[in-house]
């Protein structure tokens, strides 16, 4: 069985308060995007995970895909499998690639071995692997609260719009990012703001990680400004970074290719070795 785990972006991200358990309550909208990894799972006599593509900075036994298999094995007796993961979604990017891989593994194992778990049960299992893993069970626009694990559908549709992603070589450690942010109650209502035209989001739809992350990596602020200068209606950092995204008008294939070249030319002098993706949502 082969599947294509999707990435996500965050539309707004409010860090509301620090919890007694050390985690933080947040408000954000998770939005799935068509940037994918590839995950193949086949039955085997021994469990294994082989990674290809972009480098993965952890040993296979600690990879969330392996942990997803272990969870299904421990709880539901799923037998050994051979797993091949091709990484295309950048790591340390705020795009949720590892969480999406894990959620896909849970769903694939559930189907392959007729475990019979519904989406709600799979989402609860996924949440034990990572705060945003549950979102990828549903992979549709969701308002996320709590630590990112309390999900409710939200009506936001960017279909047909053009999305540009810029991932510099520098990555951001999520734990470090949270340690530097000051929680605060939002001054605007996220659910109301998200219903406004995209061009009205700037200044209202905010990512609370940006001030501290941009202070540590000032090239991110310049990349964000470059996307706005290139014609984006809205630009922001996704999650705790370091990917900056911009939302543009719908375009045909030739216009998207031209935009990718334009953005690459703008950001390369600012941050070498940037990855630039331009996608149709």
């Amino acid at each position: 069985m082969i599947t294509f785990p999707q990435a996500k972006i965050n539309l707004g991200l409010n860090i509301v308060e620090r919890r007694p358990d050390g985690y933080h309550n947040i408000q954000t909208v998770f939005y799935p995007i068509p940037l994918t990894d590839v995950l193949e799972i086949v039955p085997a006599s021994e469990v294994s995970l082989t990674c290809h593509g972009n480098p993965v900075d952890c040993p296979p036994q600690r990879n969330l895909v392996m942990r997803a298999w272990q969870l299904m094995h421990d709880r539901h007796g799923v037998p050994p499998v051979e797993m091949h993961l091709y990484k295309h979604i950048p790591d340390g990017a705020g795009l949720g690639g590892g969480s999406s891989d894990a959620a896909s593994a849970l769903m694939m194992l559930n189907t392959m071995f007729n475990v019979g778990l519904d989406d709600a049960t799979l989402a609860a299992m996924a949440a034990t692997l990572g705060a945003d893993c549950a979102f990828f069970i549903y992979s549709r626009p969701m308002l996320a609260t709590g630590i990112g694990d309390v999900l409710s559908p939200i009506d936001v549709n960017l279909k047909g719009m053009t999305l540009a992603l810029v991932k510099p070589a520098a990555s951001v450690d999520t734990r470090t990012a949270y340690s530097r942010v000051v929680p605060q109650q939002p001054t605007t209502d996220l659910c109301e703001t998200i219903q406004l035209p995209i061009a009205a989001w700037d200044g209202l739809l905010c990512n609370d990680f940006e001030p501290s992350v941009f202070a540590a990596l000032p090239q991110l602020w310049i990349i964000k400004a470059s996307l706005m200068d290139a014609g984006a209606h809205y630009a922001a950092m996704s999650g705790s970074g370091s990917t900056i995204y911009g939302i543009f008008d719908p375009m045909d294939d030739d216009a998207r290719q031209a935009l990718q070249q334009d953005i690459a030319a703008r950001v390369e002098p600012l941050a070498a070795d940037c990855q630039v993706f331009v996608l149709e949502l």
Side-chain angles (χ1 to χ4, degrees), residues 18-56:
R18 183 178 173 86
R19 297 155 46 116
D21 60 8
Y23 290 93
H24 291 77
N25 285 327
I26 69 169
Q27 297 173 348
T28 190
V29 172
F30 290 135
Y31 195 93
I33 62 173
L35 181 68
T36 68
D37 289 337
V38 183
L39 179 61
E40 180 183 20
I41 301 180
V42 296
S45 57
E46 295 183 2
V47 64
S48 65
L49 170 64
T50 306
C51 295
H52 313 268
N54 291 340
V56 178

Side-chain angles (χ1 to χ4, degrees), residues 1 13 24 36 50 101 109 133 140 153 162 165 177 193 197 201 204 215 220 225 237 271 273:
M1 179 177 286
L13 178 50
H24 291 77
T36 68
T50 306
D101 297 337
L109 293 167
C133 282
R140 62 178 184 265
T162 299
L165 304 166
T193 301
W201 289 359
L204 296 176
L220 299 184
M237 186 171 71
D273 300 322

Side-chain angles (χ1 to χ4, degrees), residues 141-199:
M142 288 280 191
L143 173 68
T145 56
I147 62 171
D149 59 337
V150 181
L151 303 170
S152 54
I154 188 167
D155 183 19
V156 54
N157 185 3
L158 302 178
K159 185 174 177 58
M161 300 298 287
T162 299
L163 178 73
L165 304 166
V166 180
K167 167 61 173 71
S171 296
V172 177
D173 176 71
T174 302
R175 186 184 298 272
T176 301
Y178 270 109
S179 71
R180 293 174 176 169
V181 77
V182 178
Q184 58 184 341
Q185 292 297 319
T187 57
T188 58
D189 186 279
L190 177 60
C191 294
E192 291 180 3
T193 301
I194 210 77
Q195 301 306 321
L196 297 173
I198 298 172

Side-chain angles (χ1 to χ4, degrees), residues 4-278:
F4 301 89
Q6 282 187 285
K8 58 82 179 165
I9 55 173
N10 293 75
L11 302 177
L13 178 50
N14 302 321
I15 313 299
V16 178
E17 61 184 354
R18 183 178 173 86
R19 297 155 46 116
D21 60 8
Y23 290 93
H24 291 77
N25 285 327
I26 69 169
Q27 297 173 348
T28 190
V29 172
F30 290 135
Y31 195 93
I33 62 173
L35 181 68
T36 68
D37 289 337
V38 183
L39 179 61
E40 180 183 20
I41 301 180
V42 296
S45 57
E46 295 183 2
V47 64
S48 65
L49 170 64
T50 306
C51 295
H52 313 268
N54 291 340
V56 178
D57 189 22
C58 74
Q61 292 302 321
R62 291 178 53 198
N63 190 289
L64 284 174
V65 169
M66 183 65 81
R67 291 173 57 193
W69 174 83
Q70 191 68 54
L71 187 61
M72 288 290 280
H73 173 74
D74 292 346
R75 293 192 182 183
H76 301 286
V78 165
V81 292
E82 183 179 292
M83 299 179 285
H84 295 273
L85 176 62
Y86 181 86
K87 288 298 298 178
H88 182 56
I89 302 170
D91 277 351
L95 299 175
S99 296
S100 185
D101 297 337
S104 290
L106 291 176
M107 291 187 288
M108 293 171 74
L109 293 167
N110 183 55
T111 299
M112 287 178 65
F113 298 106
N114 299 310
V115 180
L117 305 178
D118 60 18
D119 284 351
T121 303
L122 286 168
M125 292 179 66
T128 68
L129 298 173
D132 60 353
C133 282
F135 161 72
F136 291 102
I137 298 296
Y138 303 103
S139 212
R140 62 178 184 265
M142 288 280 191
L143 173 68
T145 56
I147 62 171
D149 59 337
V150 181
L151 303 170
S152 54
I154 188 167
D155 183 19
V156 54
N157 185 3
L158 302 178
K159 185 174 177 58
M161 300 298 287
T162 299
L163 178 73
L165 304 166
V166 180
K167 167 61 173 71
S171 296
V172 177
D173 176 71
T174 302
R175 186 184 298 272
T176 301
Y178 270 109
S179 71
R180 293 174 176 169
V181 77
V182 178
Q184 58 184 341
Q185 292 297 319
T187 57
T188 58
D189 186 279
L190 177 60
C191 294
E192 291 180 3
T193 301
I194 210 77
Q195 301 306 321
L196 297 173
I198 298 172
W201 289 359
D202 191 36
L204 296 176
L205 195 65
C206 301
N207 182 336
D208 286 347
F209 281 118
E210 285 187 6
S212 59
V213 172
F214 285 9
L217 297 171
Q219 66 266 38
L220 299 184
W221 182 90
I222 303 173
I223 291 170
K224 179 178 175 179
S226 296
L227 289 175
M228 294 298 289
D229 289 343
H233 290 295
Y234 175 74
M237 186 171 71
S238 185
S240 59
S242 59
T243 298
I244 307 294
Y245 68 86
I247 302 173
F248 296 77
D249 283 328
M251 300 179 185
D252 60 22
D253 289 343
D254 289 342
R256 283 195 297 272
Q257 184 175 1
L259 178 63
Q260 183 165 353
Q261 293 170 349
D262 178 37
I263 292 171
R266 289 172 183 268
V267 303
E268 185 63 25
L270 311 171
D273 300 322
C274 283
Q275 294 177 272
V276 180
F277 306 90
V278 177

